[in-house]
Amino acid sequence: MDLQTTQYWSRIRHCNLHFPAAFRFFGDYFTYSCRKGDISGHHSLPKSSIRLCRGYKANVRAFASQEHKKLRRSVNIRKGKNIQPSEQLQNENNGLNVGSASENDPIQDDILTSPSDNLEVQNSVIIPSRSAVLQACTVTSCLIGTLGILIRQVSHVASTEGLPIIDCSTNITFSFELLHLVLITELVILVSSCRYLLLKTWPDFTKSSEAANRQVLTSLEPMDYIIVAFLPGVSEELLFRGALLPLFGVNWTSIFAVAALFGILHLGSGRKYSFAVWATFVGIAYGYATTISSSVVVPMASHALNNLVGGIIWRYTLKSPKQIK
């Protein structure tokens, strides 16, 4: 290193220049000295000095490149870009600048989506698998039906022992007559017609009903509809109209109270308050049919058939089979 170079280095070291900037200046000076001759007029340097100059030049460029990468990486993180460590390491090994696209480059795929798209993704309905739907339907229906049977048995034993509790099995039975077929048919027509009118006139109910049907029915086969229609229909009516309704008394107060509880429990899984209002109305209709027939079989059959009719209509009125998948 000659005298002139040493003087330049001492000036750089004692000034307040930023460290990478000083090295960049130092490397540029060495490159100029190696190629054009130094300030003192020498037009050539020894080969070892030339190699030293070029080595400093490469090191300075590598150091500046690393600083630039860190800066770009921090900017990308603030913008929301997610760069995996393995991808980052591979890009650095290949000498690439992560996220250093020029202004004329097209927009990349990793740019953040708009808030409306994020909201749409968050509000999308999760579609469970066929086995998960059937398992959940079977387990839930068994638990609800078991609870209904337990309430009926406990009320019967308590009433027999002289306790002031209404015997559920006495007021509402499992009897069935031919006249009940007419009542079941009327209930199916009434509920199905009202559902159709609400779907055409009440957008909020349409969205709630669509969310519930899509979550439960999308992954099922056509024959599975019988299972998810009859198991909940039988078990829910056994609990609400076969146990709770006679326990509170066979009257209008009990009909409305049990129907309101039935509607509230139908909230969730994409179903809004409009669906709860609809379930409450249906519960009133089933409760009234239970009181005039004194049989829990009527609401069981009506509920199951209405579930089946609604599921079949939803499946075969879709615009294309791809929507089912």
Side-chain angles (χ1 to χ4, degrees), residues 112-129:
L112 293 177
T113 56
S114 61
S116 59
D117 296 337
N118 294 332
L119 183 61
E120 182 179 357
V121 173
Q122 292 176 0
N123 294 334
S124 62
V125 179
I126 300 176
I127 306 300
S129 62

Side-chain angles (χ1 to χ4, degrees), residues 13 29 31 47 54 82 99 138 154 171 174 195 219 284:
R13 185 179 58 182
Y29 170 73
T31 305
K47 294 183 178 180
R54 292 178 179 175
N82 185 16
T138 303
V154 170
N171 295 329
F174 288 94
R195 181 195 292 117
S219 59
I284 294 173

Side-chain angles (χ1 to χ4, degrees), residues 269-288:
S269 300
R271 295 172 292 194
K272 302 179 181 179
Y273 289 99
S274 57
F275 198 90
V277 173
W278 161 251
T280 302
F281 165 76
V282 173
I284 294 173
Y286 292 155
Y288 177 74

Side-chain angles (χ1 to χ4, degrees), residues 67-82:
E67 290 295 323
H68 185 66
K69 289 177 183 178
K70 292 179 180 179
L71 179 60
R72 295 295 301 179
R73 194 178 304 121
S74 62
V75 172
N76 289 334
I77 291 175
R78 288 196 297 268
K79 288 183 178 180
K81 295 184 179 180
N82 185 16

Side-chain angles (χ1 to χ4, degrees), residues 216-237:
V216 177
L217 304 178
T218 300
S219 59
L220 298 181
E221 299 293 335
M223 295 302 296
D224 297 335
Y225 283 33
I226 299 176
I227 298 176
V228 299
F230 278 84
L231 284 182
V234 172
S235 62
E236 290 177 4
E237 295 307 317

Side-chain angles (χ1 to χ4, degrees), residues 53-67:
C53 296
R54 292 178 179 175
Y56 262 97
K57 180 70 175 179
N59 291 335
V60 170
R61 288 181 177 177
F63 186 85
S65 178
Q66 291 178 0
E67 290 295 323

Side-chain angles (χ1 to χ4, degrees), residues 246-260:
L247 183 64
F248 296 149
V250 184
N251 50 49
W252 280 106
T253 303
S254 179
I255 291 174
F256 279 104
V258 173

